[in-house]
């Protein structure tokens, strides 16, 4: 978009890597339970089955890799944050986990029958490169599936966090300029991008995911302790802004009370394409 600051790809990558490195334990204890709600849909999308070679890009702490192993797939997980991989290796010793960059995959062409990427694409400075790399390492007729959150206007959880920051603080904090967070939460954009990159049979499905918390007071501390970009954005507000944001998030979260705690819906888009 005109007027947006240029993205320093290396600075953004470094920021994300440092962020995920710090929150790896927190991520595994909180967000991985959220993102893994779509694991079966992703594995269905790529028709995961016994004996298939499957690459899990930006695998984080390995929950999707572990579910792919349960289907009998021969799984390689790749992530550039070693602290995430330490947890992945203990969670799923049956898979091989490697440090590497999604935009420059350390694999030969035509190696995998499936490539999956759960909530990774929104963290890549040049997602087109990551998509092209996934296409390259896939065998002919292999499938690629990735997920991304839908924008706040259609996503109660994201709206609660980002809408509240916008109202009581600022989203314009001193973080490295980044690609649009919700670009691949737009089905048309997903279809167009995969088609341009050379995928066929592209389909896009919307999925419901629930963010659950024991009590409303847990929402903001959990995000700060487990998310790289959103957590930094919340931490970087002034004291007063942070206080106001926290109170507003608590009030907002109370609307989602259930008998078991707090359950805030969010939506994600699952995109699947096939290599010709
Ligand atoms: C939101 S987490 C998703 C983790 C996991 N797929 C899940 O669903 O829970 C994003 C992951 O992407 C990794 N990541 C970000 N940019 C990357 C890159 N360029 N190459 C490899 N991994 C990357 C981070 O280290 C982090 O583990």
């Amino acid at each position: 978009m005109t007027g947006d600051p240029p993205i320093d790809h290396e600075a953004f990558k470094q920021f994300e890597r440092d962020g995920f490195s710090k929150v790896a334990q927190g991520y595994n204890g909180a967000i991985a339970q959220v993102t893994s709600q779509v694991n079966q849909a992703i594995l269905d999308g790529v028709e995961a089955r016994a004996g298939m070679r499957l690459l899990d890009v930006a695998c984080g702490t390995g929950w999707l890799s572990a579910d792919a192993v349960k289907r009998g797939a021969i799984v390689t997980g790749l992530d550039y944050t070693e602290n995430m991989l330490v947890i992945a290796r203990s969670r799923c010793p049956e898979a091989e986990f490697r440090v590497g960059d999604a935009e420059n995959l350390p694999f030969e062409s035509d190696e995998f029958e499936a490539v999956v990427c759960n909530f990774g694409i929104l963290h890549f400075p040049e997602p087109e490169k990551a998509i092209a790399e996934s296409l390259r390492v896939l065998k002919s007729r292999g499938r690629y599936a990735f997920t991304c959150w839908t924008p706040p206007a259609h996503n109660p959880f994201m709206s609660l966090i980002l809408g509240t920051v916008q109202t009581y603080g600022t989203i314009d904090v001193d973080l490295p300029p980044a690609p649009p967070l919700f670009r691949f939460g737009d089905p048309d954009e997903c279809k167009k991008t995969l088609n341009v990159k050379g995928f066929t049979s592209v389909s896009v499905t919307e999925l419901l995911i629930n963010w659950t918390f024991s009590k409303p007071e847990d929402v903001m501390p959990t995000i700060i302790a487990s998310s790289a970009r959103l957590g930094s954005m919340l931490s970087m507000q002034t004291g007063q802004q942070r206080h106001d944001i926290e109170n507003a998030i608590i009030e907002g979260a109370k609307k989602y009370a259930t008998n078991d705690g707090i359950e805030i819906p969010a939506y994600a888009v699952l995109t699947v394409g096939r290599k010709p």
Side-chain angles (χ1 to χ4, degrees):
M1 226 192 321
T2 348
D4 283 347
I7 298 168
D8 176 337
H9 298 143
E10 282 314 309
F12 176 66
K13 242 180 221 183
Q14 190 61 43
F15 161 76
E16 290 271 318
R17 193 187 286 125
D18 291 347
F20 279 111
S21 209
K22 278 190 210 129
V23 301
Q25 286 290 350
Y27 185 94
N28 191 51
I31 299 187
Q33 311 183 25
V34 176
T35 56
S36 61
Q37 291 172 37
V38 297
N39 285 359
Q40 298 308 327
I42 294 173
L43 295 175
D44 288 347
V46 297
E47 298 180 354
R49 59 189 177 275
M52 164 191 261
R53 279 206 68 196
L54 179 145
L55 173 64
D56 182 5
V57 174
C59 62
T61 56
W63 291 45
L64 177 57
S65 295
D67 280 341
V69 164
K70 282 188 197 137
R71 290 199 184 196
I74 300 158
V75 178
T76 303
L78 175 128
D79 200 287
Y80 68 8
T81 307
E82 176 63 26
N83 285 357
M84 299 293 257
L85 292 179
V86 169
I87 300 169
R89 288 187 191 107
S90 79
R91 172 168 205 89
C92 182
E94 301 90 342
E96 181 200 3
F97 289 101
R98 288 180 61 169
V99 176
D101 186 351
E103 296 177 351
N104 184 16
L105 293 173
F107 304 107
E108 300 295 321
S109 301
D110 310 315
E111 270 201 48
F112 296 94
E113 281 140 321
V115 177
V116 293
C117 182
N118 198 17
F119 297 104
I121 196 131
L122 54 160
H123 298 282
F124 305 151
E126 297 179 276
E128 268 91 355
K129 269 196 186 172
I131 292 169
E133 278 291 88
S134 294
L135 182 69
R136 179 182 68 75
V137 302
L138 271 174
K139 291 184 195 238
S140 174
R141 305 192 70 75
R143 285 175 202 270
Y144 175 47
F146 66 86
T147 51
C148 180
W149 300 110
T150 61
H154 186 57
N155 189 326
F157 180 78
M158 289 299 165
S159 165
L160 176 64
I161 304 298
L162 291 173
T164 305
V165 171
Q166 246 163 342
T167 304
Y168 295 97
T170 176
I171 54 167
D172 194 16
V173 289
D174 188 20
L175 293 177
L181 193 54
F182 301 106
R183 174 178 168 195
F184 293 101
D186 171 358
D188 291 339
E189 181 65 15
C190 295
K191 275 187 202 147
K192 192 178 76 189
T193 308
L194 281 211
N195 284 324
V196 166
K197 285 286 158 201
F199 283 94
T200 61
S201 313
V202 179
S203 68
V204 180
T205 317
E206 190 174 271
L207 303 168
L208 168 68
I209 297 183
N210 285 311
W211 287 74
T212 55
F213 303 89
S214 304
K215 51 186 193 307
E217 290 76 13
D218 289 349
V219 177
M220 185 153 146
T222 302
I223 298 305
I224 290 177
S226 56
S227 154
R229 209 179 329 173
L230 287 182
S232 298
M233 184 183 286
L234 287 167
S235 307
M236 290 168 80
Q237 306 296 315
T238 65
Q240 184 62 47
Q241 287 169 333
R242 204 166 147 160
H243 175 262
D244 294 345
I245 290 167
E246 180 144 30
N247 282 340
I249 289 180
I250 290 170
E251 284 313 305
K254 284 181 184 165
K255 295 182 196 136
Y256 298 100
T258 68
N259 290 338
D260 301 321
I262 302 294
E263 193 172 290
I264 311 173
Y267 293 94
V269 159
L270 165 65
T271 304
V272 181
R274 215 183 59 207
K275 182 166 176 173

